[in-house]
Structure formats: structure tokens, C-alpha cells
Amino acid sequence: VHSRQSKSLRELHIKGLEAKNYLDGLKRELLRLEDQEGLLADYQKKVNELLDNSLMASWRAENRSDGKGAFEYQITGAIDLAIAKEGLLADKRGLGKTLTAQIWQDLIGAQKIIAVVPNETVDKFIGEIKRWTPHRNPVKIAGMSKGERDFVLPVLATLPSFTVVINYEAGWRDPQLLIDLINLKADTLVLDE
């Protein structure tokens, strides 16, 4: 009788341990889910703050006389980049990476921007900035002579905000230009296709 009771107690003890382990696992899963809910709540709070800060943005359809604005996926992409604080924006041509980058710049409060673009897209890039974020006032350094740059860049350095647009070739031809751009102390660098 004693050995049967011992065996029953051991089996009961093992089943109790299994039940405890199972409950501990459920507790851990519950804590993980609560953490995820907290992370999601934090993320949603950041999203709402970013959207609230951009209510008057020129890229929002409701703020434009033509009624055309950024697509939802562009805004979402820019928000994800702003929250992550790093990333790579890559899409097929024509899906609006330039606008998405401009939205991101607005969301993070970028003030001093240098955009490096292929020579053949400089004018299109500047046109996109003027269309969607006219407050950025892009300055086309691409195509300026060295004398013109020597006049313009020191003036830009004194401004609280600017958007300088250069082409890749300019830096290859004139190493001094790269030093001058570094001296602008930009807070944002955009490398386009």
C-alpha cells in the first residue's frame, strides 16, 4: 500500500510540475502579448504625433488647391522611416519615392538637406520639391560654376534651413565641392537613384 501511495504521489507531483510549467508558459506568453500591446500603443502614439505635427503640410491633399496629395502608402512609408530613424526607401520608378522622402523630411524636422541625384533627374527632383514641399526652397548647385558656388554656399551656411540639390558628377569633378558641402553641416542627406 505504501509503495502504491508513493507512486501515486510521484505521479501527482509530476502532473503538478507539468501543470505549473504549462501555467508559467501561459504567463510568459501573456507578458509577451502585453509587451506587444504596449509596443503597438507606443507606435500608434508616435504615428499620431507625427500626423498631428503635419496637419498643415503642403503634401496633404486637404491643404492643396489642386486637391492632390500624397498617397496613404507614401505617408505610411515616411512614418515608418521617421520612427525607425533609419532605413532604405526603395520602390519601382514612378511610385513617389521623392515625395515619400519629402514627407519623411517634414516628419523628422529636417532643416539642412543635401540631395544628391543623377544629372538627368536634377530638374525633375527640384520640380517635385517645389510642387510638394515649396517651403523647402531647393537650390540647384548642379550646373553652377565654381565662382557661383563660392558665393552661394557660404550664404546657405548662415541660413537655418536649406535644400541643396547636386548631381553625382559634380562631386567627382570638384573635390572641393565635397568639402564645402560638409561645411554646411547638413542634418539630412538624400541619395536618389
Side-chain angles (χ1 to χ4, degrees):
V1 173
H2 180 62
S3 85
R4 241 190 286 158
Q5 283 180 336
S6 292
K7 184 178 178 185
S8 292
L9 285 174
R10 275 194 305 272
E11 288 172 354
L12 189 58
H13 180 70
I14 290 170
K15 288 190 189 259
L17 286 174
E18 288 172 352
K20 180 185 180 308
N21 288 340
Y22 177 75
L23 289 173
D24 287 345
L26 289 176
K27 284 181 191 175
R28 283 191 303 276
E29 180 64 11
L30 182 60
L31 290 172
R32 186 186 69 76
L33 291 172
E34 286 174 350
D35 282 348
Q36 277 188 334
E37 283 180 15
L39 290 173
L40 287 173
D42 287 346
Y43 180 82
Q44 191 58 51
K45 181 180 174 189
K46 288 177 185 175
V47 167
N48 291 337
E49 287 172 5
L50 290 170
L51 288 174
D52 287 347
N53 290 339
S54 70
L55 285 176
M56 300 307 294
S58 56
W59 41 264
R60 293 177 67 111
E62 60 270 21
N63 298 332
R64 297 180 56 84
S65 60
D66 64 6
K68 296 178 182 177
F71 291 108
E72 190 64 35
Y73 73 88
Q74 292 171 306
I75 297 169
T76 302
I79 288 170
D80 288 345
L81 285 171
I83 291 172
K85 298 186 177 27
E86 62 181 29
L88 173 66
L89 180 59
D91 260 329
K92 292 180 182 177
R93 292 188 93 134
L95 290 180
K97 294 180 296 295
T98 303
L99 176 53
T100 304
Q102 291 173 64
I103 296 168
W104 166 73
Q105 292 164 17
D106 276 359
L107 294 177
I108 65 168
Q111 296 297 314
K112 298 181 177 190
I113 303 160
I114 296 175
V116 186
V117 303
N119 191 45
E120 63 274 6
T121 61
V122 170
D123 291 328
K124 183 178 184 296
F125 194 89
I126 288 174
E128 290 288 309
I129 294 171
K130 287 180 178 179
R131 177 178 183 195
W132 297 110
T133 53
H135 62 282
R136 295 265 173 221
N137 296 317
V139 177
K140 179 180 173 181
I141 299 296
M144 277 188 184
S145 70
K146 184 172 176 5
E148 290 170 319
R149 287 195 320 258
D150 288 346
F151 174 77
V152 170
L153 291 175
V155 172
L156 287 175
T158 66
L159 299 176
S161 66
F162 57 76
T163 300
V164 169
V165 180
I166 67 164
N167 57 350
Y168 287 99
E169 295 83 1
W172 296 332
R173 285 192 309 262
D174 184 1
Q176 180 60 43
L177 175 58
L178 296 177
I179 294 167
D180 294 341
L181 292 173
I182 290 168
N183 289 333
L184 288 177
K185 297 182 179 12
D187 57 38
T188 306
L189 176 64
V190 175
L191 302 173
D192 189 49
E193 329 182 315

